């Protein structure tokens, strides 16, 4: 493509936004700076691409410290109340979130949905204990919403390890949605893991799995316990399956691609290889 | 500005998921068209296979055997596909070496990879020559796992004026792709590449000596990288995943740790008592 063949601003925004949204966990700032320099148009960046920052943070289930609370919350699509504000159901507050600085400010009181609050709190309590039990630095949040005949609950977990000095970053994200109506319900989960290793290279693990369970619900507490039991079972099963895959990939797939040594158990005899060719050449001229 | 942009572009390519290298590179070139040639020559992409219909053989495509929109295939015919009147071709002496190199590395490939495709392209430099040795090996999909290995070895050979020795500089990138989709683990995609550099002197008694020297260097390099790939892919990234979530309840682990500490203390006290 000749340098005069410029793409439209709209296409540039699409590309820049795509790059931002695919930043590996812990590397948003670096990707942002790269994109900023390459786009070379701060106005276009601010007007067209800013939406991508918010989408990225929500998709990553980004943890956020609240100045007025000792327990952090999460920035997700489920607690987005528009105007750059999110709510924390645990501390019953809403806050303004700066997507570039990753900071909360302007805390205000926030009223929860009373019709679903007892269910939400019961799940939050069980879920928080579960998170502390399996995720060393995990942050979780539980959201609830009531509709006409049903309630929906969303429980999210985020845990990450950022070690840029050692050239790696990793993040685990769990998102569980329950819809309960009458005495039954459905529990749906999306589990995602991403790891980036980049010392003299670029290696990434990208995993995702969807899970479904049916629920019977009785009391708030019993339902919450049942949900957490299913979640624990599913997540551990998933983690075991990932580990099993690693074993098969290394024992079977990788070995079949390239041997450690030829079948002779010694390195190639290069002199022999070229002498064979020379022999052939000499024979040809005769 | 363009040099900073190139650095930023390369930094971006090291961070975006390698599983979408081609799309990322294409988008990047659309965004900054002035960097097109620089990007194509500095960003490694998975190797593509093309077919020489005349010879009925496969060969590999990369930026090093591209001229404009045509690719040269070697060793089978040394012409461009689609045909290119002024396409860059190696000198006769280099072409002879190239034919030999392809045959030698073809055997190397068979001994280590037991399958796959390899291609070697050489081009002239002022005081020597350069080349790229390519290998592509796709897995057979056994156990429901798709795997693929791409080797891109770029070598620079500086021939000393005596003609009796040369200096070899090798930059190698190996790409390893593994993906599976199963009920238990959902979709799992582990892929990317590692790059290493090595250099070495070698004695040259005849033109074929270059092949021996390059061959040994490439072989040592690939063996080293294979070892590192094994450690990073199946060791490091796996450890990171298991560091994010613990299958065993952490409370149990804290109890176990406290128990071990108590036991150690009790043993120490007992030892203290029995000492004279």
């Amino acid at each position: 493509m000749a340098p005069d063949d410029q793409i439209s601003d709209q296409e540039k925004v699409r590309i820049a936004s795509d790059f931002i949204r695919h930043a590996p966990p812990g590397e948003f700032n670096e990707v942002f700076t790269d994109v900023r320099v390459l786009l070379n148009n701060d106005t276009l960046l601010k007007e067209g691409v800013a939406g991508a920052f918010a989408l990225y943070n929500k998709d990553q289930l980004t943890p956020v410290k609240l100045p007025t609370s000792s327990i952090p919350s999460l920035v997700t699509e489920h607690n987005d109340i528009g105007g750059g504000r999110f709510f924390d159901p645990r501390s019953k507050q809403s806050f303004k979130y700066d997507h570039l600085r990753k900071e909360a400010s302007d805390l205000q009181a926030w009223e929860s949905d009373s019709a679903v609050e007892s269910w939400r709190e019961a799940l939050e309590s069980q879920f928080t204990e579960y998170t502390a039990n399996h995720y060393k630095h995990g942050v979780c949040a539980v959201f609830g919403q009531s509709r006409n005949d049903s309630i929906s609950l969303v429980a999210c977990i985020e845990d990450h390890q950022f070690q840029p000095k050692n050239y790696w970053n990793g993040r685990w994200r769990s998102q569980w949605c329950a819809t309960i109506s009458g005495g039954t319900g459905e529990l749906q989960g999306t589990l995602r893991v991403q790891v980036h290793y980049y010392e003299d290279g670029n290696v990434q693990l990208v995993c995702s799995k969807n899970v479904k369970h049916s629920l019977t619900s009785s009391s708030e507490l019993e339902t919450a316990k049942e949900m957490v039991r299913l979640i624990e079972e599913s997540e551990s099963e998933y983690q075991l399956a990932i580990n099993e895959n690693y074993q098969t990939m290394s024992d079977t797939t990788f070995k079949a691609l390239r041997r450690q040594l030829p079948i002779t158990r010694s390195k190639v005899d290069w002199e022999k290889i070229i002498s064979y060719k020379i022999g052939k050449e000499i024979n040809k001229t005769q | 500005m363009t040099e900073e942009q190139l650095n930023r572009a390369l930094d971006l390519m090291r961070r975006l998921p390698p599983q979408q290298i081609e799309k990322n590179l294409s988008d990047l070139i659309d965004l900054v068209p002035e960097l097109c040639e620089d990007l194509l020559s500095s960003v490694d992409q998975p190797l593509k296979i093309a077919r020489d219909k005349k010879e009925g053989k496969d060969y590999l495509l990369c930026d090093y055997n591209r001229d404009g929109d045509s690719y040269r295939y070697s060793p089978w015919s040394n012409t461009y596909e689609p045909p290119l009147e002024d396409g860059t071709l190696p000198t006769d002496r280099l072409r002879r070496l190239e034919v030999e190199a392809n045959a030698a590395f073809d055997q190397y490939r068979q001994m280590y990879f037991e399958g796959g495709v390899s291609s070697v392209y050489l081009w002239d430099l002022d005081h020597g020559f350069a080349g790229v040795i390519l290998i592509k090996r796709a897995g057979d999909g056994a156990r429901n796992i798709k795997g693929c290995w791409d080797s891109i070895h770029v070598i620079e050979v500086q021939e000393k004026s005596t003609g009796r020795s040369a200096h070899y500089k090798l930059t190698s990138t190996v790409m390893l792709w593994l993906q599976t989709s199963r009920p238990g683990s959902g979709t799992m995609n582990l892929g990317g590449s590692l790059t290493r550099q090595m250099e070495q002197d070698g004695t040259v008694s005849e033109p074929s000596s270059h092949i021996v020297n390059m061959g040994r260097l490439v072989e040592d390099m690939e063996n080293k990288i294979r070892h590192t790939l094994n450690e990073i892919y199946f060791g490091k990234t796996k450890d990171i995943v298991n560091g994010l979530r613990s299958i065993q309840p952490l409370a149990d682990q804290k109890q176990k740790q406290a128990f071990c500490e108590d036991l150690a203390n009790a043993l120490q006290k007992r030892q203290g008592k029995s000492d004279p």
Side-chain angles (χ1 to χ4, degrees):
Chain A
M1 182 193 272
D4 312 316
D5 255 332
Q6 286 281 331
I7 52 172
S8 65
D9 276 355
Q10 198 183 22
E11 254 303 282
K12 287 186 182 175
V13 163
R14 199 269 308 161
I15 291 173
S17 303
D18 264 357
F19 286 161
I20 295 274
R21 292 187 61 184
H22 283 88
E27 297 171 47
F28 176 86
N29 289 347
E30 289 78 2
V31 170
F32 170 79
T33 311
D34 289 341
V35 168
R36 185 180 186 188
V37 172
L38 293 167
L39 186 63
N40 199 19
N41 186 337
D42 276 358
T43 316
L44 198 59
L45 184 73
K46 192 165 158 196
E47 288 171 9
V49 187
F53 310 153
L55 284 171
Y56 176 83
N57 287 331
K58 290 193 290 185
D59 188 54
Q60 291 285 310
L61 304 184
T62 309
V64 55
K65 281 197 184 72
L66 300 177
T68 51
S69 174
S70 59
I71 302 178
S73 187
L74 296 177
V75 169
T76 79
E77 61 180 297
H78 310 284
N79 57 334
D80 183 349
I81 46 181
R85 296 190 71 83
F86 295 80
F87 66 86
D88 175 33
R90 193 190 301 267
S91 63
K92 314 270 183 290
Q93 296 175 97
S94 74
F95 54 92
K96 178 114 177 75
Y97 188 68
D98 183 327
H99 287 285
L100 284 181
R101 280 208 167 84
K102 310 263 195 288
E103 280 172 6
S105 62
D106 189 18
L107 281 284
Q108 291 172 19
W110 174 82
E111 215 179 282
S112 55
D113 180 347
S114 51
V116 79
E117 187 57 16
S118 57
W119 294 87
R120 193 207 66 77
E121 270 185 351
L123 181 58
E124 182 183 88
S125 164
Q126 297 295 312
F127 201 65
T128 304
E129 192 186 319
Y130 164 73
T131 303
N133 234 356
H134 290 274
Y135 298 87
K136 269 207 197 101
H137 316 99
V139 176
C140 72
V142 177
F143 312 104
Q145 220 184 14
S146 64
R147 284 155 228 253
N148 292 328
D149 301 326
S150 64
I151 55 159
S152 76
L153 296 164
V154 178
C156 302
I157 304 177
E158 183 276 348
D159 197 353
H160 68 263
Q161 274 287 299
F162 296 159
Q163 293 215 12
K165 292 210 174 80
N166 293 320
Y167 303 99
W168 63 261
N169 296 300
R171 174 169 263 155
W172 176 297
R173 285 171 287 167
S174 295
Q175 186 166 283
W176 292 93
C177 304
T179 327
I180 302 168
S181 174
T184 57
E186 197 184 67
L187 176 63
Q188 221 181 56
T190 302
L191 308 172
R192 287 176 290 179
V193 188
Q194 190 177 358
V195 174
H196 181 207
Y197 174 87
Y198 50 109
E199 181 163 25
D200 295 322
N202 179 3
V203 177
Q204 294 203 26
L205 171 73
V206 181
C207 299
S208 73
K209 182 183 179 183
N210 291 325
V211 186
K212 253 195 194 130
H213 289 289
S214 40
L215 283 171
T216 49
S217 90
S218 44
S219 69
E220 286 94 325
L221 180 61
E222 286 312 307
T223 309
K225 283 192 168 155
E226 173 69 0
M227 281 177 65
V228 169
R229 189 184 66 76
L230 289 168
I231 288 170
E232 180 169 23
E233 205 175 86
S234 299
E235 292 192 344
S236 291
E237 192 184 294
Y238 181 48
Q239 195 175 346
L240 279 166
I242 290 178
N243 277 285
E244 267 168 27
N245 275 358
Y246 265 112
Q247 196 66 41
T248 311
M249 281 176 170
S250 96
D251 287 346
T252 308
T253 324
F254 181 60
K255 282 209 164 72
L257 289 176
R258 184 188 187 278
R259 305 176 61 99
Q260 258 182 303
L261 278 177
I263 208 157
T264 54
R265 293 219 200 123
S266 52
K267 294 205 289 185
V268 167
D269 185 342
W270 288 92
E271 297 280 2
K272 190 162 154 202
I273 284 185
I274 59 158
S275 71
Y276 172 70
K277 277 309 299 172
I278 288 173
K280 261 187 142 187
E281 284 299 306
I282 289 174
N283 290 338
K284 260 197 214 161
T285 58
Q286 282 178 339
Chain B
M1 189 54 184
T2 310
E3 208 197 304
E4 213 222 319
Q5 283 192 317
L6 180 60
N7 288 334
R8 291 288 171 184
L10 295 177
D11 183 74
L12 192 58
M13 288 307 292
R14 274 192 290 274
R15 297 185 191 273
L16 294 173
Q19 287 81 359
Q20 283 100 42
I21 286 182
E22 283 132 326
K23 176 183 186 288
N24 293 336
L25 187 57
S26 166
D27 277 349
L28 201 44
I29 290 173
D30 278 350
L31 190 63
V32 204
E34 318 86 84
L35 294 180
C36 182
E37 285 298 316
D38 281 326
L39 284 172
L40 287 175
S41 63
S42 13
V43 177
D44 294 310
Q45 293 188 72
L47 300 169
K48 289 205 163 63
I49 302 181
R51 189 105 179 127
D52 177 349
K53 298 174 201 89
K54 268 187 265 163
E55 303 284 330
K57 280 180 173 167
D58 287 333
Y59 61 101
L60 294 169
L61 306 178
C62 72
D63 200 60
Y64 293 100
N65 63 318
R66 177 182 67 87
D67 195 330
D69 288 330
S70 294
Y71 288 89
R72 180 170 68 87
Y73 53 95
S74 154
W76 324 129
S77 80
N78 197 33
T79 58
Y80 277 86
E81 180 64 30
L84 197 65
E85 237 180 66
D86 296 326
T88 320
L89 290 175
T91 51
D92 285 342
R93 120 180 144 122
L94 198 60
R95 171 63 186 154
R96 276 197 292 276
L97 192 63
E98 189 181 77
V99 171
E100 245 196 281
N102 271 284
F105 278 100
D106 196 52
Q107 287 190 58
Y108 166 82
R109 178 200 44 74
Q110 192 53 35
M111 289 168 81
Y112 274 98
F113 294 86
E114 295 177 322
V117 182
S118 59
S119 295
V120 182
Y121 303 101
L122 303 179
W123 57 94
D124 293 278
L125 293 178
D126 282 339
H127 300 286
F129 63 94
V132 66
I133 297 126
L134 308 170
I135 302 176
K136 188 177 187 78
R137 174 64 160 114
D140 61 2
R143 309 287 289 275
N144 225 326
I145 301 179
K146 276 200 281 197
C148 190
W149 173 300
D150 289 290
S151 281
I152 300 169
H153 300 284
V154 182
I155 194 153
E156 192 187 302
V157 182
Q158 291 152 7
E159 292 172 294
K160 304 284 165 71
S161 43
T162 58
R164 313 291 307 161
S165 76
H167 185 72
Y168 302 85
K169 206 157 134 185
L170 178 65
T171 304
S172 300
T173 297
V174 175
M175 302 180 152
L176 178 62
W177 312 98
L178 299 153
Q179 55 213 85
T180 179
S181 193
R182 289 163 159 190
S185 57
T187 56
M188 184 168 163
N189 198 321
L190 179 56
S193 65
L194 294 178
T195 301
R196 293 284 183 278
Q197 278 188 322
M198 257 170 145
E199 47 191 303
Q200 187 169 286
D201 286 323
T203 45
V204 181
S205 50
E206 57 189 351
S208 305
S209 303
H210 284 306
I211 297 182
V212 173
N213 296 335
M214 293 193 300
R216 287 190 180 137
L217 193 55
V218 166
E219 181 176 19
D220 284 347
M221 176 66 102
E222 268 198 357
N223 284 341
K224 277 209 178 79
I225 294 185
R226 185 194 184 281
H227 178 79
T228 309
L229 283 169
N230 193 32
E231 284 190 342
I232 301 299
Y233 275 64
F234 312 115
K236 189 67 192 168
T237 69
K238 185 174 99 164
D239 289 344
I240 294 170
V241 174
N242 292 321
L244 293 171
R245 183 183 187 279
S246 168
I247 294 181
Q248 292 303 316
L250 292 168
D252 282 1
Q253 284 177 15
K254 283 192 191 130
Q255 263 186 350
K256 265 192 208 150
Q257 203 180 4
F259 174 71
C260 287
E261 280 170 15
D262 284 346
L263 189 60
N265 287 335
L267 284 172
Q268 259 194 339
K269 281 199 191 124
R270 240 202 355 207
Q271 295 220 304
K273 277 190 189 156
S274 60
D275 283 344

